[in-house]
Amino acid sequence: MVVKSGGVGAAEEGAAGAAVRRWVEAGGGRLVLDGGLATELEAHGADLNDPLWSAKCILSSPHLIRKVHLDYIEAGANIIITASYQATIQGFQSKGFSKEQSENLLTKSVEIAHEAREMFLKQHSDQSTPMHRPILVAASIGSYGAYLADGSEYSGDYGEAGTLEFLKDFHRRRLQVLAEARPDLIAFETIPNKLEAQAYVELLEECNISIPSWFSFNSKDGVHVVSGDSLIECATIANSCAKVGAVGINCTPPRFIHSLILTIRKVTDKPILIYPNSGERYDGEKKEWVEFCCAYIIKTFISRTLPSVNSSC
């Protein structure tokens, strides 16, 4: 990704944006994210039919998570995302774990990713040419809807739970524990509404989180996030926080990506990341993806000048 200073939102960038830009420059102009974790875990035999989804493997088969992380690094990924998307203290406690045990499992998700990186670096330590490519660990934080495991991260409809203070209380300790595990980045993923984005911004400030983060929203129409809130409003909330180093889109049909990038760029000069889905729609009642649309799936930070959006999507 070619990153340029100045322009819209430059004053709000802060240390987080500067850190992301340094990594991008070290990566030769772009950073490539890993691919789907759950898909690869299932391909290795994991049964993810559980409210914890891929986070179930933190308990049952951490070696599979480590292998998938390592496979993605071997394939050229610059960023591996932890298995904590659907891992919450509340979710682990519902399985009978204590608060302390639940927090330790969150920490373990970051440790597994660190171990995979160390394994890769050790395996390549004897190369005649030193390796300079960034290899970063991003701690994933899924939305409140992901914890509910009812598909509401694809609607943003939280009912009576949809208040700012409730969402902050739900996410606060989880954010603190993951930050204390020292990932390189914190990835707030599949954000379905502006209320949750605002909750994250306030928590980053109130908890004094120093680790750079990214905000990634999902859209079903190329204009709004899935709740119906304006993407411009959501991206503006992300841009307002100096602790947010990048803004982007995930879990969204590829056909919408180009217009969504252009929309985000209207309100921020922060690096943009994209990792769309394959074009399917999640059916919360059936708990499955439907209406498959053949498309390439990519996960990458992209250039401000958008040199390859059409060919990639």
Side-chain angles (χ1 to χ4, degrees), residues 49-70:
N49 185 22
D50 190 279
L52 292 175
W53 197 39
S54 55
K56 176 185 176 184
C57 290
I58 303 173
L59 301 165
S60 63
S61 45
H63 64 287
L64 290 184
I65 300 174
R66 190 180 304 110
K67 174 171 175 48
V68 173
H69 286 329
L70 185 57

Side-chain angles (χ1 to χ4, degrees), residues 26-27 31 72-78 120-121 130-136:
L31 295 176
Y72 276 126
I73 298 173
E74 292 279 6
N78 299 111
F120 175 82
L121 293 175
M131 184 172 298
H132 297 297
R133 100 175 199 243
I135 303 174
L136 308 170

Side-chain angles (χ1 to χ4, degrees), residues 173-238:
R173 184 57 188 154
R174 177 195 194 188
L175 171 60
Q176 292 171 329
V177 170
L178 287 171
E180 289 165 3
R182 307 307 300 171
D184 301 295
L185 292 150
I186 296 174
F188 294 96
E189 302 189 277
T190 323
I191 305 172
N193 55 49
K194 64 182 180 183
L195 184 69
E196 200 151 20
Q198 185 63 41
Y200 290 149
V201 164
E202 293 189 15
L203 284 176
L204 286 170
E205 296 293 347
E206 292 171 11
C207 298
N208 195 27
I209 303 299
S210 60
I211 296 168
S213 69
W214 80 58
F215 278 24
S216 186
F217 301 92
N218 56 337
S219 172
K220 58 185 177 183
D221 63 4
V223 178
H224 306 89
V225 297
V226 293
S227 65
D229 292 337
S230 162
L231 176 62
I232 283 188
E233 292 182 14
C234 292
T236 299
I237 290 171

Side-chain angles (χ1 to χ4, degrees), residues 47-175:
D47 177 8
L48 304 184
N49 185 22
D50 190 279
L52 292 175
W53 197 39
S54 55
K56 176 185 176 184
C57 290
I58 303 173
L59 301 165
S60 63
S61 45
H63 64 287
L64 290 184
I65 300 174
R66 190 180 304 110
K67 174 171 175 48
V68 173
H69 286 329
L70 185 57
D71 286 347
Y72 276 126
I73 298 173
E74 292 279 6
N78 299 111
I79 301 176
I80 51 176
I81 303 175
T82 64
S84 54
Y85 174 81
Q86 213 142 310
T88 63
I89 295 170
Q90 298 88 337
F92 287 132
Q93 287 180 316
S94 72
K95 295 286 188 179
F97 292 94
S98 68
K99 185 173 183 291
E100 181 180 4
Q101 289 171 325
S102 300
E103 291 181 0
N104 288 340
L105 287 167
L106 283 172
T107 300
K108 187 176 180 180
S109 71
V110 179
E111 292 174 346
I112 293 168
H114 282 157
E115 290 166 4
R117 176 171 61 185
E118 290 306 311
M119 289 174 63
F120 175 82
L121 293 175
K122 184 176 181 180
Q123 291 169 5
H124 294 79
S125 61
D126 58 351
Q127 289 184 343
S128 58
T129 303
M131 184 172 298
H132 297 297
R133 100 175 199 243
I135 303 174
L136 308 170
V137 171
S140 174
I141 293 182
S143 67
Y144 174 67
Y147 156 74
L148 295 176
D150 62 359
S152 57
E153 76 254 53
Y154 306 113
S155 70
D157 183 4
Y158 295 159
E160 294 181 0
T163 68
L164 184 65
E165 290 306 315
F166 178 89
L167 292 173
K168 286 169 63 176
D169 288 343
F170 176 82
H171 288 295
R172 181 177 285 105
R173 184 57 188 154
R174 177 195 194 188
L175 171 60

